[in-house]
Amino acid sequence: MGRVKDSLIVFKDKMVFAMDGVLIPGQYALRKIETNEIGCTSFKSILSVENALMFQGQDGIYITDGYKAEKASTKLDPFFTSVDNQLTRSVMNNALDQYLFWTDQGIVVFDYRNKKLFIWDSIDASSGITVDNDLSIRFFGPTKAANFKPL
């Protein structure tokens, strides 16, 4: 689950719903967000970004504003064909406006400031990824030098 504006977003494997209103019996409405049977495959991938939520779907990263869901990673379709979408983890780097999604094939970076997508490969963050108080990105697990792949 996650929150967008005044809606509570509920993720299922092949559906996404929004709950609006006061969360007491008879005082809220549940509506389905059209996703063409795309749902959230990894609850640890849900990331709040401005007035939306990003999440790992069956074939890439999606973004929802509580009314519609759109694929945010279309340029990376070939990359996501080999990703185990149930393992995706996410973290936000506020200082650089970057949203990081660790996959078993590399880290997908959404750079909002520069409107770019990157893949950092050769980084093992399988034991975790975080942004420290000093704004440095920390990967837990043995890592090699990161390679930028701008798209």
Side-chain angles (χ1 to χ4, degrees):
M1 291 190 280
R3 180 175 171 239
V4 174
K5 299 176 188 166
D6 290 331
S7 297
L8 177 65
I9 308 302
V10 180
F11 294 95
K12 302 289 280 174
D13 289 341
K14 293 192 177 198
M15 292 181 269
V16 180
F17 296 94
M19 291 177 62
D20 303 308
V22 181
L23 296 179
I24 57 175
Q27 299 296 312
Y28 65 89
L30 182 66
R31 61 186 161 75
K32 184 178 177 189
I33 298 171
E34 186 54 48
T35 63
N36 292 325
E37 296 192 21
I38 298 294
C40 183
T41 57
S42 174
F43 72 92
K44 291 184 179 182
S45 72
I46 300 169
L47 187 62
S48 179
V49 295
E50 296 178 1
N51 289 321
L53 292 173
M54 295 181 87
F55 62 96
Q56 172 73 59
Q58 282 79 351
D59 61 350
I61 304 293
Y62 285 77
I63 188 165
T64 182
D65 62 0
Y67 296 98
K68 63 184 184 304
E70 297 177 338
K71 190 182 236 184
S73 63
T74 302
K75 290 182 178 181
L76 300 178
D77 280 351
F79 173 79
F80 278 102
T81 59
S82 60
V83 166
D84 184 344
N85 57 31
Q86 296 180 348
L87 299 177
T88 302
R89 308 293 186 256
S90 64
V91 69
M92 183 169 30
N93 184 345
N94 287 325
L96 298 176
D97 290 330
Q98 291 178 339
Y99 305 98
L100 311 175
F101 293 87
W102 178 86
T103 72
D104 60 336
Q105 300 297 313
I107 297 173
V108 176
V109 180
F110 287 90
D111 186 332
Y112 266 40
R113 183 181 304 162
N114 298 308
K115 306 294 184 218
K116 301 270 186 192
L117 286 169
F118 298 92
I119 297 174
W120 291 346
D121 64 0
S122 302
I123 297 175
D124 180 4
S126 57
S127 297
I129 181 172
T130 188
V131 177
D132 288 341
N133 290 336
D134 67 354
L135 305 179
S136 61
I137 301 168
R138 182 176 302 243
F139 306 102
F140 298 99
T143 63
K144 301 176 198 169
N147 295 320
F148 262 141
K149 289 186 179 179
L151 300 174

